[in-house]
Amino acid sequence: MPTTGLPSVTARTAVRGLAGRLAEPVYGLARQMLDSPLMSVDTRPVGEFPELPPDLLTAFGASEAQLDRLAAATHLVVVQAEYRPGWPPAHEWAARAVAAAVAEAVGGDVVDVFGLQFLDPAAALRSLPDAEGRVRLVDWVLVPYSSDAEGLWFTTKGLRRFGLLELQTQGVPDHLTRAWGAVMTGAARRLLRDWTDGLAGDDVPAFVQLPVLATVTGHDIAVAYGNPEQHGATAPVLLRLELDPATDPDADSFLSLRPPAGHPGPAGRYFANACATLFSGIQPDVRYARSGDAMSRAVATARAGLADIRSRFRDGQLPPQTQLVVKYGLPGDDGPEYVWAGVTTWDSPDRIVGASASDANTDPTVRIGSPVVVDVSDIVDWAVLGTSGVIEGGWTQAVLDAGQPPTP
């Protein structure tokens, strides 16, 4: 945690302030580890620590205000913890809880050095297990990517905190940016489960044998994103795990995700088919609605609520762990094709920036995960998606699914 001057509270005092706000066992775990040699809290002048790279922090989402606070900091408070490998990752949970408590008390930020990511204290606390022990893997493992002549190169960043090598995939087609990031996260969840299952028990084994072929399902992806009830029925896909040891002792080794041995054709084709399999439940709608029928009434109902849903989206008033999606029309020879997109920003009342939730038939540039700009005048429906599916909106889909007028 970067601070200007010495922090005004001790770590123990700050953690006590989380009583009643932080679920067990994390609250008790943080206090116990603070009083043990398994955790250290060290405050020193900034110059005594390695520099935190601003360019990488920016790449992983740091804001200008956060970078300014880092540049102005005179001291760093560093929380470190150790624990045996396996589940639960007590050292990670306790260290983040203590760091968030101190940062909240002094009005500062948390920097996760595994992911090189800024976290405001509230976000750091939300990432910790709830009362039922559930966490979202996406809060602990990032999936950055870069582009080269062969396509996209994806890696994970954060599996090392659990004792694993990071994953990588090379040669991913450009239009699979968002979709393959989700697949990588699901694969990380599957691998982490195999790893921690192998470490279960009182005696830590000397070796854990990981499978050569990893089976990834839509359920793995949904659980990793904190939505276990979504995408559970999709067929699984197989990915081959292959060790890529680093030739430079200072570089990272990886576990590479590749198509199964003997797969014909380029790897990119297999990756595209894998995404189509795992996201098969998200399909475009190419049916055309006649004026005056139930579909027209559904469209009118949806469009009447656009101003209100935009206001709630921008004000952060939608329920936690939900996503706003919109359905809009793409021109086609046989009438418009209607596709869904997740809303990223809605700054202008006339235009939405988002990510496509499906592959379009009429426009080859509209692929799962590809960025899209949607004119509000083209929107025919919207929906708020929760862990159990549509919790609000989706009037046109109700007509298509049930063949009867929806309830406004």
Side-chain angles (χ1 to χ4, degrees):
M1 295 80 66
T3 65
T4 302
L6 295 174
S8 56
V9 296
T10 67
R12 288 177 177 80
T13 301
V15 169
R16 284 198 295 270
L18 298 179
R21 299 167 50 203
L22 193 60
E24 294 291 356
V26 180
Y27 177 69
L29 190 66
R31 297 189 66 181
Q32 291 172 22
M33 293 193 79
L34 262 177
D35 293 328
S36 78
L38 297 175
M39 178 180 287
S40 65
V41 180
D42 198 9
T43 303
R44 296 186 198 170
V46 169
E48 296 187 18
F49 292 103
E51 181 184 6
L52 293 170
D55 53 343
L56 290 178
L57 289 168
T58 300
F60 288 111
S63 68
E64 287 294 331
Q66 289 169 332
L67 292 174
D68 288 344
R69 287 194 290 271
L70 174 61
T74 61
H75 292 75
L76 292 180
V77 181
V78 178
V79 181
Q80 295 178 293
E82 296 179 357
Y83 196 65
R84 56 168 281 181
W87 199 266
H91 58 303
E92 289 292 333
W93 292 352
R96 185 172 286 193
V98 173
V102 175
E104 183 181 65
V106 302
D109 307 295
V110 176
V111 181
D112 175 8
V113 295
F114 265 111
L116 285 177
Q117 184 182 31
F118 268 95
L119 298 170
D120 67 72
L125 292 173
R126 284 197 303 270
S127 71
L128 295 169
D130 62 14
E132 298 180 21
R134 298 172 299 187
V135 294
R136 303 191 323 157
L137 190 60
V138 290
D139 292 327
W140 298 88
V141 177
L142 304 178
V143 185
Y145 65 91
S146 58
S147 180
D148 58 25
E150 303 299 321
L152 298 176
W153 174 35
F154 283 81
T155 62
T156 59
K157 197 167 184 63
L159 281 176
R160 283 195 306 118
R161 69 169 93 239
F162 303 108
L164 281 168
L165 294 178
E166 303 292 353
L167 297 176
Q168 71 170 359
T169 312
Q170 294 174 296
V172 178
D174 291 347
H175 70 274
L176 297 179
T177 304
R178 184 180 178 90
W180 195 255
V183 174
M184 288 279 288
T185 307
R189 185 258 175 183
R190 170 60 59 177
L191 184 65
L192 181 60
R193 181 171 181 177
D194 290 338
W195 167 243
T196 54
D197 284 349
L199 291 168
D202 295 332
D203 297 325
V204 179
F207 300 95
V208 172
Q209 185 171 349
L210 298 175
V212 174
L213 286 177
T215 302
V216 181
T217 67
H219 181 69
D220 290 317
I221 297 172
V223 171
Y225 280 83
N227 299 314
E229 297 180 15
Q230 293 183 357
H231 303 298
T234 59
V237 299
L238 291 176
L239 294 168
R240 178 165 52 97
L241 285 171
E242 187 172 305
L243 176 64
D244 278 331
T247 55
D248 182 344
D250 295 326
D252 293 328
S253 297
F254 288 95
L255 287 174
S256 291
L257 295 177
R258 296 193 168 98
H263 168 71
R269 183 184 303 167
Y270 185 85
F271 299 149
N273 290 337
C275 289
T277 298
L278 291 170
F279 300 105
S280 61
I282 305 175
Q283 297 291 342
D285 167 38
V286 296
R287 281 169 282 191
Y288 181 72
R290 296 183 302 275
S291 60
D293 62 9
M295 184 62 74
S296 294
R297 293 193 295 273
V299 171
T301 300
R303 290 187 57 80
L306 283 174
D308 176 68
I309 195 63
R310 174 179 180 260
S311 176
R312 290 160 55 200
F313 171 80
R314 286 174 53 81
D315 292 343
Q317 296 179 356
L318 298 183
Q321 298 184 0
T322 61
Q323 180 185 22
L324 176 63
V325 295
V326 295
K327 181 193 279 190
Y328 66 104
L330 294 171
D333 294 337
D334 298 323
E337 175 186 4
Y338 296 104
V339 293
W340 290 91
V343 178
T344 304
T345 59
W346 198 346
D347 295 335
S348 168
D350 302 320
R351 186 174 63 180
I352 289 174
V353 177
S356 180
S358 57
D359 291 343
N361 296 329
T362 56
D363 189 339
T365 67
V366 178
R367 291 293 179 263
I368 294 176
S370 63
V372 292
V373 178
V374 180
D375 288 336
V376 171
S377 59
D378 294 331
I379 293 176
V380 296
D381 202 356
W382 56 267
V384 177
L385 302 182
T387 56
S388 58
V390 176
I391 62 175
E392 183 179 358
W395 293 277
T396 64
Q397 199 63 44
V399 174
L400 295 171
D401 293 342
Q404 57 186 353
T407 300

